[in-house]
Amino acid sequence: MAHPKHITGVSVAIAALILLVTCFHCVDANYRQQFMAPQNAARSRLRLRPLVWDAKLARYAQWWANQRRRDCALIHSNGPYGENLFWGSGNRWSPAQAAYGWLSEARSYNYYSNSCRAEMCGHYTQIVWKNTQRIGCAHVICDRGGGVFLTCNYDPPGNFLGRRPY
């Protein structure tokens, strides 16, 4: 028979482990929501289905973000997915700020001519691409104070020349 103090110590360790796993899950869910909530709100306004978080896309996004850690360059991965990139100086940029930055391009998009009025709008159109169903995102703090690099990948990809997003 085990000593009662041993059972209590093991129980506390198990409870701490469960709490750690639970809290990690909560932080992870919050992290995903910071990326997804603004983007899905924009899709909802257009009566489009919400994007669903995809772990495979998130791993791909993290792989690419890690490649950019040294230089923080806004270079696309040229992979099989749609992709939005964001860079900000300092180290306090949140996933929601990146998403809102991409969504701010909506003011430049003209649905009737299917074109951008003045500035870039491809980040916005990728977010609201009707056929896109899944999203995975990641970020890194760049080396030597180089800022923050954030990326989201989308599947199926959008932004096909000559086609409207929705």
Side-chain angles (χ1 to χ4, degrees):
M1 182 169 198
H3 190 275
K5 286 186 178 179
H6 178 70
I7 293 172
T8 304
V10 170
S11 298
V12 169
I14 290 171
L17 181 61
I18 290 169
L19 182 62
L20 178 64
V21 170
T22 303
C23 289
F24 176 75
H25 175 73
C26 293
V27 169
D28 190 48
N30 181 49
Y31 178 75
R32 290 187 303 234
Q33 279 306 109
Q34 284 187 51
F35 277 114
M36 290 175 45
Q39 297 183 66
N40 279 335
R43 291 178 66 85
S44 177
R45 285 190 293 276
L46 296 169
R47 298 192 171 135
L48 300 172
R49 289 181 178 220
L51 298 172
V52 176
W53 189 265
D54 184 278
K56 179 180 174 184
L57 291 173
R59 283 190 301 274
Y60 183 87
Q62 190 63 61
W63 168 79
W64 187 244
N66 290 339
Q67 303 304 304
R68 300 276 45 100
R69 184 185 306 269
R70 286 191 187 106
D71 60 12
C72 230
L74 291 174
I75 299 171
H76 283 279
S77 68
N78 296 316
Y81 309 115
E83 187 171 67
N84 283 348
L85 305 176
F86 178 94
W87 174 83
S89 64
N91 63 2
R92 294 189 173 257
W93 292 91
S94 72
Q97 288 172 307
Y100 284 120
W102 297 324
L103 289 166
S104 73
E105 296 175 1
R107 67 179 174 263
S108 181
Y109 179 66
N110 183 317
Y111 180 82
Y112 299 103
S113 66
N114 192 31
S115 64
C116 301
R117 289 193 190 108
E119 59 190 60
M120 187 180 338
C121 66
H123 299 104
Y124 167 73
T125 56
Q126 174 57 77
I127 291 168
V128 297
W129 199 265
K130 182 179 182 174
N131 295 335
T132 298
Q133 300 169 9
R134 292 171 296 283
I135 184 173
C137 307
H139 85 284
V140 293
I141 305 294
C142 299
D143 293 345
R144 296 178 304 283
V148 179
F149 180 90
L150 298 103
T151 180
C152 285
N153 289 97
Y154 304 84
D155 190 48
N159 287 340
F160 291 99
L161 196 58
R163 293 193 199 161
R164 284 190 171 90
Y166 50 88

